[in-house]
Amino acid sequence: MFLPHELIIEILLKLPVKSLLRFKSVYFEVKGSCRGFILICGSLNIYLWNPTTGVHKQIPLSPFGSKYGFNLDDVYFYGFGYDHSTEDYLVVFMSHHDYLQDSPLHLEYFSLKANTWKQVEALHFPYSSVVEPKGGCLYKGAIHWLAYRYDLQSDVIVAFDLVEKKLSHMHLPHPLQCGGLWLYGDYLSVYTKNDTDDEVEIWVMKEYKVNSSWTLVLTIDLSVCPNVAFSPLCCTKSGDIIGASERDRLVKYDKNGQFLELHSYPKYDLICKMTMYIDSLLLLPGDGDNKQA
Protein backbone atom coordinates (compact mmCIF):
# COMPACT_ATOMS: atom_id res chain seq x y z
CA MET A 1 0.00 0.00 0.00
CA PHE A 2 1.15 3.54 -0.72
CA LEU A 3 0.09 4.84 2.68
CA PRO A 4 -0.42 3.21 6.07
CA HIS A 5 -4.11 3.12 6.96
CA GLU A 6 -3.81 5.71 9.70
CA LEU A 7 -2.37 8.39 7.40
CA ILE A 8 -3.95 10.59 4.73
CA ILE A 9 -6.52 8.73 2.61
CA GLU A 10 -9.26 9.99 0.39
CA ILE A 11 -12.55 9.64 2.27
CA LEU A 12 -15.09 8.25 -0.15
CA LEU A 13 -18.72 8.11 0.76
CA LYS A 14 -19.22 4.38 1.16
CA LEU A 15 -22.56 4.61 2.90
CA PRO A 16 -25.36 2.40 1.53
CA VAL A 17 -27.49 3.96 -1.18
CA LYS A 18 -30.40 4.51 1.19
CA SER A 19 -28.12 6.52 3.49
CA LEU A 20 -26.53 8.41 0.62
CA LEU A 21 -29.93 9.51 -0.61
CA ARG A 22 -30.68 11.07 2.77
CA PHE A 23 -27.99 13.67 2.07
CA LYS A 24 -30.39 15.19 -0.50
CA SER A 25 -27.39 17.03 -1.98
CA VAL A 26 -26.10 17.05 -5.50
CA TYR A 27 -22.75 18.30 -4.24
CA PHE A 28 -21.12 17.69 -0.88
CA GLU A 29 -17.61 17.17 0.40
CA VAL A 30 -15.47 16.38 3.40
CA LYS A 31 -14.65 19.48 5.45
CA GLY A 32 -12.51 18.00 8.22
CA SER A 33 -12.04 15.21 10.72
CA CYS A 34 -11.49 14.78 14.45
CA ARG A 35 -10.90 11.67 16.58
CA GLY A 36 -12.15 9.33 13.86
CA PHE A 37 -15.21 11.34 12.81
CA ILE A 38 -15.59 12.99 9.40
CA LEU A 39 -17.44 16.28 8.85
CA ILE A 40 -19.42 16.23 5.58
CA CYS A 41 -21.13 19.39 4.34
CA GLY A 42 -23.53 19.71 1.44
CA SER A 43 -25.86 22.33 0.06
CA LEU A 44 -28.70 21.11 2.28
CA ASN A 45 -27.24 18.83 4.94
CA ILE A 46 -24.45 18.40 7.49
CA TYR A 47 -23.33 14.96 8.67
CA LEU A 48 -20.76 13.50 11.05
CA TRP A 49 -19.65 10.02 10.07
CA ASN A 50 -17.35 7.39 11.56
CA PRO A 51 -16.15 5.25 8.62
CA THR A 52 -14.81 2.58 10.99
CA THR A 53 -18.11 1.87 12.71
CA GLY A 54 -20.48 3.16 10.03
CA VAL A 55 -22.19 5.35 12.62
CA HIS A 56 -23.38 8.73 11.33
CA LYS A 57 -25.35 11.63 12.75
CA GLN A 58 -27.14 14.45 10.97
CA ILE A 59 -26.54 17.96 12.30
CA PRO A 60 -29.57 20.28 12.14
CA LEU A 61 -29.26 23.47 10.16
CA SER A 62 -28.25 26.61 12.04
CA PRO A 63 -31.13 28.87 13.13
CA PHE A 64 -28.85 31.90 12.82
CA GLY A 65 -28.91 31.96 9.04
CA SER A 66 -25.32 30.94 8.32
CA LYS A 67 -25.12 30.21 4.60
CA TYR A 68 -22.74 27.31 4.53
CA GLY A 69 -23.62 26.28 0.98
CA PHE A 70 -21.27 26.91 -1.91
CA ASN A 71 -22.13 30.46 -2.92
CA LEU A 72 -19.39 32.37 -4.73
CA ASP A 73 -20.63 35.68 -3.31
CA ASP A 74 -19.78 34.67 0.26
CA VAL A 75 -16.59 33.65 2.04
CA TYR A 76 -16.73 30.64 4.32
CA PHE A 77 -14.64 29.19 7.12
CA TYR A 78 -15.45 25.69 8.34
CA GLY A 79 -14.17 23.77 11.33
CA PHE A 80 -14.63 20.60 13.37
CA GLY A 81 -12.90 19.93 16.68
CA TYR A 82 -13.03 18.60 20.23
CA ASP A 83 -13.29 20.62 23.44
CA HIS A 84 -11.41 18.55 26.02
CA SER A 85 -12.63 20.73 28.90
CA THR A 86 -16.24 19.66 28.33
CA GLU A 87 -15.67 16.45 26.31
CA ASP A 88 -17.72 17.96 23.52
CA TYR A 89 -17.43 17.99 19.72
CA LEU A 90 -17.99 21.33 17.99
CA VAL A 91 -18.87 22.11 14.38
CA VAL A 92 -17.89 25.72 13.60
CA PHE A 93 -19.11 27.91 10.71
CA MET A 94 -18.08 31.49 9.94
CA SER A 95 -19.16 33.58 6.97
CA HIS A 96 -19.60 37.14 5.75
CA HIS A 97 -19.87 38.94 2.42
CA ASP A 98 -16.52 39.28 0.71
CA TYR A 99 -17.41 42.48 -1.09
CA LEU A 100 -18.59 44.20 2.13
CA GLN A 101 -15.49 44.53 4.28
CA ASP A 102 -17.41 45.87 7.27
CA SER A 103 -20.28 43.39 7.02
CA PRO A 104 -21.15 41.56 10.26
CA LEU A 105 -19.67 38.14 10.82
CA HIS A 106 -21.81 35.05 11.23
CA LEU A 107 -19.88 32.94 13.73
CA GLU A 108 -21.70 29.99 15.23
CA TYR A 109 -20.93 26.51 16.46
CA PHE A 110 -22.94 23.38 17.05
CA SER A 111 -22.39 21.58 20.35
CA LEU A 112 -22.90 17.82 20.04
CA LYS A 113 -23.29 17.54 23.81
CA ALA A 114 -25.97 20.24 24.07
CA ASN A 115 -27.39 19.27 20.67
CA THR A 116 -27.86 22.93 19.77
CA TRP A 117 -26.34 25.81 17.80
CA LYS A 118 -24.82 28.74 19.66
CA GLN A 119 -23.83 32.10 18.24
CA VAL A 120 -20.64 33.97 19.09
CA GLU A 121 -20.86 37.74 18.90
CA ALA A 122 -18.15 39.30 16.75
CA LEU A 123 -18.71 43.00 16.11
CA HIS A 124 -15.62 43.41 13.96
CA PHE A 125 -14.19 40.76 11.69
CA PRO A 126 -11.84 42.34 9.11
CA TYR A 127 -10.98 39.06 7.39
CA SER A 128 -11.76 37.21 4.19
CA SER A 129 -10.61 33.85 2.93
CA VAL A 130 -7.38 33.72 0.92
CA VAL A 131 -7.73 30.14 -0.28
CA GLU A 132 -10.55 27.89 -1.43
CA PRO A 133 -13.02 27.47 1.46
CA LYS A 134 -12.21 24.33 3.39
CA GLY A 135 -12.05 22.88 6.85
CA GLY A 136 -9.75 24.59 9.30
CA CYS A 137 -6.59 23.08 10.81
CA LEU A 138 -7.13 21.74 14.34
CA TYR A 139 -4.14 22.40 16.62
CA LYS A 140 -3.62 23.20 20.31
CA GLY A 141 -7.37 23.16 21.03
CA ALA A 142 -8.15 25.73 18.32
CA ILE A 143 -9.23 25.70 14.68
CA HIS A 144 -6.98 27.70 12.33
CA TRP A 145 -7.58 29.25 8.92
CA LEU A 146 -5.56 31.34 6.50
CA ALA A 147 -7.24 34.71 6.03
CA TYR A 148 -6.61 38.16 4.63
CA ARG A 149 -6.89 41.03 7.13
CA TYR A 150 -8.20 44.19 5.51
CA ASP A 151 -6.98 46.76 8.03
CA LEU A 152 -3.43 45.35 8.05
CA GLN A 153 -3.49 44.55 4.32
CA SER A 154 -1.77 41.24 4.92
CA ASP A 155 -2.44 37.54 5.25
CA VAL A 156 -2.74 36.14 8.77
CA ILE A 157 -3.73 32.95 10.56
CA VAL A 158 -7.08 33.22 12.32
CA ALA A 159 -7.72 30.88 15.27
CA PHE A 160 -10.95 30.01 17.05
CA ASP A 161 -10.31 28.69 20.58
CA LEU A 162 -12.71 25.80 21.22
CA VAL A 163 -12.58 26.24 25.01
CA GLU A 164 -12.76 30.04 25.33
CA LYS A 165 -14.91 30.45 22.19
CA LYS A 166 -12.78 33.42 21.11
CA LEU A 167 -11.04 34.51 17.91
CA SER A 168 -7.42 35.59 17.66
CA HIS A 169 -4.89 35.94 14.88
CA MET A 170 -1.21 35.31 14.25
CA HIS A 171 1.11 36.86 11.70
CA LEU A 172 2.86 34.90 8.96
CA PRO A 173 6.54 34.98 8.02
CA HIS A 174 6.98 38.21 6.07
CA PRO A 175 6.90 38.60 3.14
CA LEU A 176 5.20 35.31 2.28
CA GLN A 177 2.31 34.34 0.04
CA CYS A 178 1.05 31.15 1.61
CA GLY A 179 -0.27 28.26 -0.43
CA GLY A 180 -1.82 26.52 2.56
CA LEU A 181 -1.88 25.73 6.26
CA TRP A 182 -1.14 22.29 7.70
CA LEU A 183 0.62 20.42 10.52
CA TYR A 184 4.26 19.49 10.03
CA GLY A 185 4.99 17.03 12.80
CA ASP A 186 4.23 18.79 16.08
CA TYR A 187 4.24 22.27 14.56
CA LEU A 188 1.72 24.56 12.93
CA SER A 189 3.08 25.05 9.45
CA VAL A 190 2.53 26.96 6.21
CA TYR A 191 3.94 26.37 2.76
CA THR A 192 4.58 28.64 -0.20
CA LYS A 193 5.42 28.12 -3.86
CA ASN A 194 7.63 30.29 -6.04
CA ASP A 195 6.41 32.03 -9.18
CA THR A 196 7.28 29.10 -11.44
CA ASP A 197 5.70 26.48 -9.15
CA ASP A 198 8.87 24.37 -9.16
CA GLU A 199 9.77 24.86 -5.49
CA VAL A 200 7.88 24.62 -2.19
CA GLU A 201 9.12 26.17 1.05
CA ILE A 202 7.89 24.79 4.37
CA TRP A 203 7.83 27.10 7.40
CA VAL A 204 6.99 26.06 10.96
CA MET A 205 6.07 28.06 14.05
CA LYS A 206 8.53 26.67 16.60
CA GLU A 207 6.72 28.36 19.53
CA TYR A 208 2.95 28.57 19.23
CA LYS A 209 1.66 32.16 18.92
CA VAL A 210 5.22 33.54 18.93
CA ASN A 211 5.53 35.27 15.56
CA SER A 212 9.31 35.57 15.75
CA SER A 213 9.61 31.77 15.95
CA TRP A 214 8.71 31.16 12.30
CA THR A 215 11.49 29.06 10.78
CA LEU A 216 12.14 27.84 7.24
CA VAL A 217 12.82 24.11 7.71
CA LEU A 218 12.66 22.60 4.23
CA THR A 219 12.67 23.46 0.55
CA ILE A 220 11.25 20.87 -1.86
CA ASP A 221 12.44 20.89 -5.47
CA LEU A 222 9.45 20.02 -7.66
CA SER A 223 11.44 20.06 -10.91
CA VAL A 224 12.51 16.43 -10.35
CA CYS A 225 8.91 15.44 -10.97
CA PRO A 226 7.88 17.71 -13.90
CA ASN A 227 4.28 18.82 -14.42
CA VAL A 228 3.24 17.58 -10.97
CA ALA A 229 1.68 20.15 -8.66
CA PHE A 230 2.22 19.62 -4.93
CA SER A 231 0.36 20.73 -1.82
CA PRO A 232 1.59 19.20 1.48
CA LEU A 233 -1.04 17.34 3.50
CA CYS A 234 0.77 15.47 6.28
CA CYS A 235 4.03 13.88 7.32
CA THR A 236 4.75 10.40 8.64
CA LYS A 237 6.48 9.56 11.91
CA SER A 238 9.71 9.08 9.95
CA GLY A 239 9.40 12.56 8.45
CA ASP A 240 8.25 11.67 4.94
CA ILE A 241 5.92 14.31 3.46
CA ILE A 242 2.76 13.36 1.60
CA GLY A 243 0.90 15.82 -0.54
CA ALA A 244 -1.83 16.14 -3.13
CA SER A 245 -1.17 16.56 -6.81
CA GLU A 246 -4.21 17.37 -8.94
CA ARG A 247 -7.46 15.57 -8.00
CA ASP A 248 -6.32 12.00 -8.41
CA ARG A 249 -2.69 11.74 -7.35
CA LEU A 250 -0.64 11.68 -4.17
CA VAL A 251 3.07 12.52 -4.04
CA LYS A 252 5.59 11.45 -1.43
CA TYR A 253 8.90 13.13 -0.50
CA ASP A 254 11.37 12.15 2.20
CA LYS A 255 12.33 14.35 5.16
CA ASN A 256 15.10 15.92 3.08
CA GLY A 257 12.73 16.91 0.29
CA GLN A 258 13.80 14.14 -2.11
CA PHE A 259 11.09 12.69 -4.38
CA LEU A 260 10.05 9.14 -3.45
CA GLU A 261 6.94 8.16 -5.39
CA LEU A 262 3.80 9.24 -7.20
CA HIS A 263 0.54 7.38 -6.65
CA SER A 264 -2.62 7.64 -8.73
CA TYR A 265 -6.00 6.49 -7.50
CA PRO A 266 -9.36 6.05 -9.28
CA LYS A 267 -11.58 8.99 -10.08
CA TYR A 268 -15.17 8.93 -8.85
CA ASP A 269 -18.27 10.87 -9.76
CA LEU A 270 -18.71 11.83 -6.09
CA ILE A 271 -15.30 12.96 -4.85
CA CYS A 272 -14.64 14.55 -1.49
CA LYS A 273 -11.69 16.52 -0.25
CA MET A 274 -8.77 14.77 1.39
CA THR A 275 -8.47 14.78 5.14
CA MET A 276 -6.51 13.12 7.94
CA TYR A 277 -8.33 10.09 9.28
CA ILE A 278 -7.53 7.68 12.14
CA ASP A 279 -9.56 4.58 12.94
CA SER A 280 -11.74 5.05 16.01
CA LEU A 281 -14.49 3.17 17.83
CA LEU A 282 -15.61 6.27 19.70
CA LEU A 283 -19.23 7.38 19.86
CA LEU A 284 -20.55 10.91 19.71
CA PRO A 285 -22.33 12.56 22.67
CA GLY A 286 -25.96 11.52 22.67
CA ASP A 287 -25.07 8.19 21.08
CA GLY A 288 -28.73 7.23 21.12
CA ASP A 289 -29.12 9.53 18.14
CA ASN A 290 -26.28 7.86 16.23
CA LYS A 291 -27.37 5.76 13.27
CA GLN A 292 -25.66 2.74 11.78
CA ALA A 293 -24.92 2.96 8.08
Side-chain angles (χ1 to χ4, degrees):
M1 292 181 63
F2 178 70
L3 296 175
H5 188 65
E6 70 271 19
L7 295 179
I8 285 286
I9 62 173
E10 183 181 9
I11 303 300
L12 299 174
L13 299 181
K14 296 180 179 178
L15 300 179
V17 174
K18 63 179 181 179
S19 296
L20 187 59
L21 291 176
R22 284 200 291 271
F23 280 85
K24 300 178 182 178
S25 299
V26 176
Y27 182 76
F28 51 89
E29 57 183 34
V30 165
K31 287 296 184 181
S33 69
C34 178
R35 304 181 87 219
F37 295 99
I38 309 299
L39 172 64
I40 303 172
C41 294
S43 57
L44 296 174
N45 295 281
I46 311 165
Y47 272 79
L48 293 179
W49 173 45
N50 186 330
T52 303
T53 63
V55 166
H56 62 280
K57 179 182 179 69
Q58 184 175 10
I59 304 299
L61 301 184
S62 167
F64 302 113
S66 176
K67 301 177 181 178
Y68 60 88
F70 305 99
N71 186 330
L72 296 179
D73 292 333
D74 292 326
V75 177
Y76 301 101
F77 298 83
Y78 301 81
F80 177 43
Y82 183 71
D83 179 357
H84 291 273
S85 68
T86 58
E87 299 183 341
D88 191 11
Y89 293 87
L90 303 179
V91 176
V92 181
F93 288 154
M94 298 193 295
S95 66
H96 71 103
H97 291 285
D98 187 15
Y99 53 85
L100 296 176
Q101 297 185 7
D102 294 325
S103 63
L105 166 74
H106 294 286
L107 198 173
E108 58 252 45
Y109 63 91
F110 183 82
S111 163
L112 269 292
K113 204 167 188 178
N115 196 37
T116 187
W117 284 93
K118 300 181 181 181
Q119 191 171 31
V120 178
E121 296 294 335
L123 299 179
H124 184 57
F125 185 73
Y127 308 110
S128 67
S129 178
V130 296
V131 293
E132 177 187 355
K134 61 181 180 179
C137 182
L138 181 62
Y139 181 71
K140 296 285 188 181
I143 301 173
H144 302 74
W145 300 269
L146 280 180
Y148 178 78
R149 180 155 177 167
Y150 294 116
D151 53 351
L152 299 179
Q153 297 186 349
S154 66
D155 294 341
V156 296
I157 297 174
V158 177
F160 179 70
D161 190 292
L162 296 173
V163 176
E164 297 183 357
K165 311 298 187 296
K166 293 181 179 179
L167 284 172
S168 62
H169 77 270
M170 291 164 273
H171 293 282
L172 295 167
H174 183 75
L176 183 64
Q177 294 294 325
C178 290
L181 182 67
W182 67 307
L183 296 183
Y184 183 57
D186 295 328
Y187 300 109
L188 190 64
S189 175
V190 295
Y191 63 90
T192 182
K193 299 178 183 178
N194 60 12
D195 294 336
T196 57
D197 284 338
D198 61 3
E199 191 175 84
V200 168
E201 290 185 347
I202 296 176
W203 294 73
V204 301
M205 182 176 266
K206 288 294 185 81
E207 296 182 57
Y208 185 54
K209 292 189 176 181
V210 178
N211 296 323
S212 61
S213 71
W214 281 110
T215 304
L216 175 62
V217 294
L218 185 64
T219 298
I220 299 177
D221 183 4
L222 303 183
S223 63
V224 297
C225 192
N227 302 318
V228 174
F230 181 70
S231 299
L233 294 170
C234 76
C235 64
T236 68
K237 292 181 179 179
S238 62
D240 293 341
I241 298 171
I242 299 162
S245 174
E246 319 303 338
R247 287 176 64 89
D248 61 342
R249 293 188 291 184
L250 292 173
V251 188
K252 189 176 184 179
Y253 291 85
D254 68 16
K255 61 183 178 181
N256 298 314
Q258 299 299 309
F259 173 76
L260 294 178
E261 56 183 311
L262 177 66
H263 176 75
S264 297
Y265 51 94
K267 292 183 178 180
Y268 297 88
D269 292 334
L270 295 175
I271 286 187
C272 296
K273 298 295 183 180
M274 293 182 183
T275 189
M276 181 76 74
Y277 169 68
I278 299 176
D279 281 341
S280 170
L281 298 177
L282 295 173
L283 294 175
L284 295 167
D287 57 7
D289 296 329
N290 285 238
K291 298 178 181 179
Q292 192 76 29

